[in-house]
């Protein structure tokens, strides 16, 4: 089912620039069973114990310090974006108002997390996201991950969310994609590059590419790993996801065509997939109308996922 929302508000294209790394000296913050959470908590993934992932986590608690909900929102940012931005702040405030737990992390190679961006891959971000959800489950011992989380993924975060949900359906009760761009490394970036640019990426390891209104560092690692994680080429219902999925994508997206959302809806196996296509807006989906649609989609996924049994891959 596809819902089109028309809007007649004109918005100019604004060049977007941002800093890839936001390193600073911080006092380590460790999540504990009694902690209500906080900012810049650290964890060391078991699959890469020498690396450090920084994340924010907030858990509504009662006066005696007990968790009051197992409903959890996990936000995965756009490519190269640090965890603290307009969408994550809006989603964080929404989670507090709706009495839900909230988790957001800096990707490996981005923000305060360790690593270099040229070494980062979609597979690495997928594995880190799984580790983070399991880490919360093991520390809080509250049934958070047993009930599953709703992952809100923006841009590449939408791609990562799909991979997490496919690999670990027991951890995910639903996905909300915001201008999700699965397969973008191959279908959009690589196909558009000149032979000279392709050679430079393969030989030097990375190159800054202007895409839409933003400059991105595109690495050899990202391109090669992306080829191992393509999800749009398998045909109708080929992507084994049974949970509710909501896809929001602006028709006027300057980086990723809205047809990507329609293609994604077709390949997802779940019957509960809805595309919302606002006529105006940019790839970042960062105005108030976009935030309202995001919050409504999260509420709907939580509501519909009550009928989705995480223990059964054939549920839905």
């Amino acid at each position: 089912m596809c819902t089109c929302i028309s809007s007649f508000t004109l918005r100019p294209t604004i060049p977007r620039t941002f800093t890839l790394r936001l390193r600073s000296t911080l006092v380590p913050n460790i999540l504990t069973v009694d902690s209500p959470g906080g900012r810049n908590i650290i964890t060391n993934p078991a699959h890469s114990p020498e690396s450090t992932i920084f994340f924010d986590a907030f858990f509504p608690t009662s006066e005696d310090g007990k968790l009051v909900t197992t409903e959890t929102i996990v936000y995965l940012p756009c490519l190269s974006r640090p965890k603290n931005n307009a969408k994550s702040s809006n989603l964080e405030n929404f989670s507090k108002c709706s009495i839900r737990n909230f988790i957001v992390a800096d990707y490996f190679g981005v923000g305060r997390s360790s690593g270099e961006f040229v070494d980062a891959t979609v597979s690495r971000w997928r594995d880190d996201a799984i580790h983070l959800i399991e880490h919360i489950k093991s520390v809080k011992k509250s049934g958070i991950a047993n009930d599953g989380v709703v992952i809100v993924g923006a841009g590449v975060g939408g791609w990562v969310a799909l991979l997490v949900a496919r690999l670990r359906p027991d951890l995910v009760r639903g996905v909300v994609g915001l201008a999700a761009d699965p397969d973008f490394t191959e279908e959009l970036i690589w196909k558009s590059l000149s032979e000279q640019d392709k050679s430079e990426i393969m030989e030097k390891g990375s190159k800054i590419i202007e895409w839409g209104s933003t400059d991105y560092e595109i690495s050899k690692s990202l391109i090669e790993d992306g080829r191992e994680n393509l999800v749009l080429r398998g045909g109708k219902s080929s992507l084994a996801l049974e949970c509710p999925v909501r896809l929001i994508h602006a028709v006027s997206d300057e980086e990723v065509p809205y047809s990507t959302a329609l293609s994604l809806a077709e390949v997802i196996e779940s019957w509960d997939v809805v595309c919302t296509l606002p006529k105006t807006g940019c790839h970042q989906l960062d105005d108030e109308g976009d935030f309202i649609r995001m919050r409504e989609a999260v509420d709907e996924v939580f509501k519909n996922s009550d009928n989705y049994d995480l223990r059964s891959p054939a549920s839905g």
Side-chain angles (χ1 to χ4, degrees):
M1 178 170 64
C2 176
T3 304
C4 286
I5 300 177
S6 295
S7 171
F8 297 96
T9 302
L10 298 178
R11 52 187 295 156
T13 300
I14 302 174
R16 298 171 182 273
T17 59
F18 52 90
T19 303
L20 287 178
R21 308 316 305 269
L22 298 173
R23 295 279 175 79
S24 62
T25 302
L26 296 169
V27 177
N29 186 5
I30 306 297
L31 186 67
T32 67
V33 67
D34 298 320
S35 169
R39 299 202 184 278
N40 297 313
I41 305 169
I42 64 171
T43 181
N44 305 103
H47 55 270
S48 182
E50 74 283 356
S51 62
T52 301
I53 301 300
F54 278 79
F55 68 99
D56 300 343
F58 299 95
F59 306 96
T61 58
S62 60
E63 291 184 358
D64 59 0
K66 295 182 179 179
L67 290 178
V68 297
T69 180
T70 59
E71 290 193 351
T72 303
I73 300 170
V74 175
Y75 178 64
L76 302 177
C78 291
L79 184 70
S80 305
R81 294 273 174 170
K83 57 183 170 62
N84 300 126
N85 54 60
K87 279 198 289 293
S88 65
S89 295
N90 192 279
L91 202 54
E92 177 187 321
N93 290 333
F94 170 64
S95 69
K96 293 175 180 177
C97 291
S98 57
I99 314 180
R100 293 179 175 123
N101 307 305
F102 178 72
I103 302 166
V104 60
D106 277 332
Y107 291 129
F108 173 85
V110 179
R112 292 188 171 97
S113 291
S114 64
E116 298 300 326
F117 187 76
V118 293
D119 299 320
T121 64
V122 174
S123 293
R124 172 61 195 256
W125 295 333
R126 175 203 63 200
D127 294 344
D128 286 348
I130 291 172
H131 162 79
L132 186 59
I133 297 169
E134 291 186 321
H135 177 62
I136 299 297
K137 174 183 176 181
S138 65
V139 173
K140 303 307 287 188
K141 303 183 185 304
S142 63
I144 286 176
N146 291 336
D147 285 352
V149 303
V150 169
I151 304 181
V152 180
V156 73
W159 189 2
V160 175
L162 296 169
L163 297 175
V164 172
R166 181 175 66 177
L167 185 62
R168 292 295 304 274
D170 57 307
L171 298 179
V172 182
R173 66 189 292 177
V175 172
V176 176
L178 307 175
D181 55 12
D183 302 9
F184 84 94
T185 50
E186 194 70 12
E187 298 298 330
L188 299 179
I189 299 294
W190 193 253
K191 285 185 176 181
S192 71
L193 294 178
S194 67
E195 292 303 316
Q196 180 178 346
D197 286 340
K198 291 178 181 179
S199 296
E200 186 170 341
I201 291 172
M202 291 297 126
E203 293 171 5
K204 296 184 178 181
S206 70
K207 180 178 174 61
I208 302 298
I209 300 295
E210 182 179 359
W211 190 256
S213 57
T214 305
D215 288 343
Y216 292 105
E217 184 176 20
I218 302 300
S219 69
K220 176 182 178 181
S221 297
L222 191 65
I223 292 292
E224 292 182 339
D225 179 78
R227 291 171 180 156
E228 302 299 318
N229 289 289
L230 302 178
V231 299
L232 296 178
R233 294 182 175 183
K236 187 175 180 179
S237 299
S238 59
L239 181 54
L241 269 65
E242 295 290 346
C243 61
V245 178
R246 297 295 177 268
L247 302 171
I248 304 173
H249 208 121
V251 173
S252 54
D253 189 317
E254 75 283 8
E255 295 188 21
V256 181
Y258 72 91
S259 58
T260 300
L262 301 178
S263 298
L264 182 54
E266 184 176 27
V267 301
I268 292 174
E269 185 177 2
S270 172
W271 59 269
D272 189 4
V273 181
V274 178
C275 294
T276 300
L277 307 174
K279 187 173 183 179
T280 62
C282 64
H283 182 63
Q284 298 304 322
L285 292 175
D286 56 3
D287 67 16
E288 186 54 35
D290 298 323
F291 293 155
I292 291 172
R293 284 184 281 271
M294 173 183 69
R295 297 192 296 264
E296 290 176 343
V298 170
D299 276 338
E300 190 171 298
V301 166
F302 271 113
K303 178 181 178 181
N304 287 23
S305 65
D306 288 340
N307 299 319
Y308 171 59
D309 184 357
L310 293 175
R311 296 167 299 179
S312 173
S315 65

